[in-house]
Amino acid sequence: MTKKLYYEDSYRTHFMGKVLSCQESKKGIEVILDQTAFYPEGGGQPADRGILGGAQVSDVFIKDEVIYHVVDRTLEVGTEVEGIIDFERRFDFMQQHSGEHIVSGLVNAKYGYNNVGFHLSQDYMTCDFNGELTKEQVQEIEMLANESIYKNIAVDCTIYNDQEIKEKPYRSKLDLVGDVRLVTVPEYDTCACCGTHVKATGEIGLIKCTNVERHRGGTRVTMLCGERAFKDTQQKQEIIAEVSQMLSAKPEVITTNLAKLQQELSEMKQRVASLTNELFDYKSEDYIKTQEPAIYVYEKDLAGDALRRLCLMLVEKTDKKVLVVTGEEGNLKYALGAKSMDVRSLNQCLTTQFNGKGGGKSELCQGNLTGNEAEIHSYYLLHHEG
């Protein structure tokens, strides 16, 4: 067994340990010490990083109560080496994990739902509950959770033997036997946990639930705590201020103004589409007057589905094959259609000749072509029969 110094003091950043083993593995060089302050990945919390005997520690894991440190160079067996924990990373995870306990405890106490999934990454944290929660309910939980921070309650981490634990009510995803480590935030939560935690709730700083969504019949809540929550709030405040300035509106009426702009944009798009159809209808009369055996049209700036609509409009007015092309040289989009002919073989010829991609039905194909517009025009007129 490796002595777990991180349980004695989760704030410990330096320690000395004796190298018991150092071996190559698929993960790298694995070092076993007689004792360590490096937390191994477990309970949803990532492993610590840092330096061990001058070597970089890239991963830490536990197997059969033995803790393995994955490092970038060998360490001499039998020597005493210094371990240095990346405490900024450690403390961030402590803030997140302790905040999660408070939120999960509140959800369990108020709604009876259990936390059945916990993921803590470098950027965010998610909690999966086996019951549905509304956005308003999560907001209330968030408020109550932050009240625990204001109270600066001492967090207790104690290991109980198999007899003592029988008298302790606690949350756990698993049926545990033997010694059990309980993390307790008085009045808020008691949970079996192997992770590292803050000494008092005030050190969490801030708890912010950033997203609520239905997940596998329950609810997934995305959370940020501590510095992560502060930076997220700061970033969103800057965005609000910038949008407020762009709209010349106070922050409290931004959503109203955006809804109005969205409605105006939708109406404008409909008007543009109507005018575009009128323009196409007018210009199509000239396009179909061509004496060429197939109709070819190049319009440089066709946006949205205008390319397809123009092609279909021309197809309805002629018995010839129609190729409509738009875009810049070298990166062209196309629509190829015909009323009573299968254009798929011609489509294959075009995409092969001009290194393109595309496909569709017998009466209409669409895609992209790479090449010169004039060359595409010439090739199409010579090979329009497919």
Side-chain angles (χ1 to χ4, degrees), residues 102-286:
I102 294 170
V103 169
S104 294
L106 284 166
V107 169
N108 181 258
K110 193 169 181 64
Y111 299 105
Y113 301 150
N114 293 313
N115 182 333
V116 293
F118 170 55
H119 174 72
L120 173 55
S121 74
Q122 194 68 41
D123 303 310
Y124 64 93
M125 174 173 59
T126 58
C127 302
D128 296 340
F129 297 101
N130 60 352
E132 292 192 14
L133 295 166
T134 65
K135 180 181 177 181
E136 291 73 23
Q137 288 172 329
V138 173
Q139 287 175 338
E140 181 185 11
I141 293 294
E142 177 186 271
M143 181 186 68
L144 294 172
N146 279 286
E147 286 181 1
S148 76
I149 294 176
Y150 312 150
K151 296 176 182 178
N152 197 27
I153 301 167
V155 178
D156 178 68
C157 300
T158 302
I159 297 175
Y160 297 90
N161 62 38
D162 55 354
Q163 293 301 316
E164 295 170 326
I165 199 66
K166 292 178 181 179
E167 307 299 323
K168 301 287 183 181
Y170 62 94
R171 292 190 303 111
S172 177
K173 297 183 181 71
L174 304 172
D175 292 326
L176 303 175
V177 294
D179 293 350
V180 177
R181 181 173 182 264
L182 297 184
V183 176
T184 301
V185 182
E187 302 178 31
Y188 289 88
D189 187 46
T190 299
C191 181
C193 179
C194 62
T196 55
H197 292 271
V198 296
K199 289 180 180 178
T201 57
E203 296 180 30
I204 299 171
L206 175 66
I207 297 175
K208 190 65 185 173
C209 299
T210 58
N211 190 48
V212 182
E213 58 186 322
R214 297 181 66 184
H215 180 72
R216 296 181 178 179
T219 307
R220 170 166 288 180
V221 178
T222 303
M223 294 170 51
L224 299 171
C225 299
E227 186 175 349
R228 294 190 194 187
F230 174 78
K231 288 182 176 179
D232 180 73
T233 302
Q234 188 177 50
Q235 181 186 47
K236 289 175 179 175
Q237 183 61 41
E238 290 172 355
I239 293 171
I240 290 172
E242 187 175 344
V243 173
S244 178
Q245 185 176 19
M246 291 170 63
L247 296 176
S248 297
K250 293 181 179 180
E252 56 266 28
V253 296
I254 283 178
T255 53
T256 301
N257 284 23
L258 285 175
K260 182 179 178 182
L261 285 174
Q262 191 174 35
Q263 178 63 30
E264 291 175 355
L265 178 60
S266 177
E267 293 172 355
M268 187 178 296
K269 284 182 177 180
Q270 293 178 12
R271 179 59 177 158
V272 169
S274 176
L275 291 173
T276 301
N277 282 337
E278 291 180 18
L279 178 62
F280 285 169
D281 189 53
Y282 174 77
K283 295 177 72 173
S284 65
E285 299 301 326
D286 289 332

Side-chain angles (χ1 to χ4, degrees), residues 2 42 44 46 51 132 154 178 209 211 218 263 311 324 340 352 365 378 383:
T2 308
I51 299 173
E132 292 192 14
C209 299
N211 190 48
Q263 178 63 30
C311 182
V324 182
S340 55
T352 301
C365 290
S378 298
H383 301 83

Side-chain angles (χ1 to χ4, degrees), residues 6 15 36-40 48-52 57 60 69 83-85:
Y6 49 83
F15 72 97
T36 184
F38 280 94
Y39 178 79
D48 283 332
R49 299 288 185 268
I51 299 173
L52 184 62
V57 179
V60 188
H69 307 75
I84 304 173
I85 308 299

Side-chain angles (χ1 to χ4, degrees), residues 314-333:
L314 291 169
V315 165
E316 287 300 313
K317 296 184 177 184
T318 180
D319 291 327
K320 299 177 181 180
K321 290 180 180 178
V322 177
L323 176 63
V324 182
V325 177
T326 189
E328 300 289 343
E329 294 287 352
N331 184 24
L332 299 162
K333 295 181 180 180

